Amino acid sequence: MKKSALACLASLLSCSTFADEYLTFFMAGQSNMDGYGYVSELPKGLTGTQDVMIFHGNGVFDNQDNGGVGKWGKLKPGHGTGFKSDGKTNMLSDRFGAELTFAKEIQQQYPGKKIAIIKYAVGGTGLALNTGYSNWFPNFTEGKGLNQYDFALKTINNAYAANDIDNDGKADTLKPMGIIWMQGEADAHAGEESANAYLNNLTSMMNLFRAALRVDDLPVVIGKITDSELGEEDIMPYIYRVHLAQQLFVESDQCAAYMSNSDTYTYGDDPWHYTSESFVQMGKDFALSYQQVIKTCGSVKE
């Protein structure tokens, strides 16, 4: 028996006294949060396993099976598009997203603290109904009535249901620290109606996530979407309305920040997704924006 367990028994205290606390960040959105960087193009310092825990909810389209199931594990490359989990085994892909550099930067912001990430992202998904392959609209009722919002909640609930996320024999606690959101391309692409509704839908979604994580003013970082303007088609004709909605949300919420350095990112194999180098930078930019917003938001304490 471990010394800590003996100590808690001897003093008639609950062994939960010795629980490890993990500062926990929820990363969510559509494809550029999912991640399209190539693991083969990662710099050497990011190719290994990090001392950070991640619960990556299985991403599926609306009304499909196994949405949000996952398993806690150490963070390593492979949590980009193509990642799958059946709740027992995580199947890493050959892609990565912003989580790798975000985790490294957050560790530097909180030296000596344990860090955890909960991730759920599916490409082509919009906040409004009928905007893409699937949607996050809370009142979705088609088919089984299960959409991206439901699967995101399942991801959060499944992550929090685990008692010992690092398998060291001791109970762990997850402390919500922030929401990192990268989404909006589908709403800017679909039409005027979805773009005009983005402010209300974004506000509702962030408030619902805050409620699920039980911190009403939990810090939120919104990633600015961009248009590659590649090809003949105008793929996001209503992007400026989504930009305005994102800006208005941040301006109205002292615990929200706008990560706009995405304007400098470059595009890779298609007009929708960034290069590996840009995904490396994205994680750093999200962490920097988070560091800035917690200076004005008093809800998060170490």
Side-chain angles (χ1 to χ4, degrees):
M1 185 177 291
K2 293 185 178 180
K3 183 177 180 181
S4 60
L6 286 171
C8 74
L9 288 172
S11 60
L12 300 179
L13 294 174
S14 169
C15 289
S16 63
T17 303
F18 299 93
D20 289 328
E21 180 183 75
Y22 279 84
L23 307 185
T24 305
F25 297 84
F26 180 50
M27 304 183 75
Q30 58 180 109
S31 58
N32 280 318
M33 177 57 82
D34 197 9
Y36 273 69
Y38 287 96
V39 171
S40 61
E41 296 177 351
L42 278 168
K44 290 183 179 179
L46 294 172
T47 57
T49 301
Q50 297 188 42
D51 191 20
V52 170
M53 300 301 295
I54 185 169
F55 187 100
H56 190 166
N58 191 55
V60 299
F61 290 142
D62 298 349
N63 289 317
Q64 293 186 356
D65 296 331
N66 297 322
V69 301
K71 179 183 178 182
W72 281 105
K74 287 287 187 74
L75 177 61
K76 61 181 69 175
H79 285 275
T81 185
F83 169 89
K84 296 293 181 184
S85 180
D86 60 6
K88 298 179 180 179
T89 303
N90 290 334
M91 292 151 274
L92 301 176
S93 72
D94 62 348
R95 302 292 188 100
F96 71 92
E99 64 280 344
L100 295 178
T101 43
F102 178 78
K104 274 192 171 294
E105 295 295 321
I106 289 295
Q107 279 191 307
Q108 293 180 17
Q109 290 182 27
Y110 294 100
K113 301 289 186 178
K114 293 181 178 291
I115 306 298
I117 291 172
I118 300 172
K119 179 175 178 178
Y120 183 81
V122 173
T125 57
L127 286 183
L129 290 168
N130 303 317
T131 51
Y133 298 109
S134 294
N135 72 88
W136 295 76
F137 195 70
N139 296 325
F140 177 74
T141 58
E142 297 176 14
K144 300 176 184 178
L146 298 174
N147 70 348
Q148 302 308 297
Y149 171 61
D150 297 294
F151 297 143
L153 288 186
K154 285 188 177 182
T155 297
I156 292 172
N157 291 336
N158 287 336
Y160 272 81
N163 182 56
D164 178 12
I165 73 170
D166 52 17
N167 292 316
D168 66 352
K170 295 185 296 182
D172 301 309
T173 59
L174 305 182
K175 179 180 180 180
M177 294 293 287
I179 298 167
I180 312 299
W181 180 256
M182 188 73 196
Q183 188 278 335
E185 294 94 338
D187 299 85
H189 169 78
E192 185 175 5
E193 184 177 355
S194 60
N196 287 344
Y198 195 82
L199 176 58
N200 286 338
N201 288 336
L202 179 65
T203 302
S204 175
M205 187 59 53
M206 294 306 106
N207 287 338
L208 287 168
F209 285 149
R210 283 167 162 166
L213 294 164
R214 300 185 180 182
V215 182
D216 290 341
D217 53 353
L218 190 65
V220 171
V221 180
I222 303 295
K224 182 181 181 181
I225 64 169
T226 62
D227 188 343
S228 67
E229 299 183 354
L230 297 174
E232 298 179 359
E233 179 190 3
D234 185 358
I235 61 174
M236 282 184 259
Y238 302 100
I239 190 171
Y240 296 109
R241 300 189 186 204
V242 172
H243 283 165
L244 178 59
Q246 292 177 328
Q247 291 169 343
L248 289 172
F249 171 77
V250 169
E251 289 172 3
S252 66
D253 191 321
Q254 68 174 357
C255 288
Y258 199 32
M259 191 284 282
S260 59
N261 198 46
S262 50
D263 283 332
T264 67
Y265 299 169
T266 54
Y267 282 80
D269 302 333
D270 62 72
W272 293 94
H273 305 116
Y274 301 123
T275 58
S276 299
E277 181 181 13
S278 294
F279 282 108
V280 169
Q281 185 62 41
M282 184 189 293
K284 298 177 182 179
D285 292 333
F286 272 132
L288 179 59
S289 293
Y290 178 79
Q291 185 179 39
Q292 293 170 343
V293 74
I294 60 175
K295 294 177 181 178
T296 60
C297 179
S299 64
V300 172
K301 304 293 183 184
E302 290 187 38

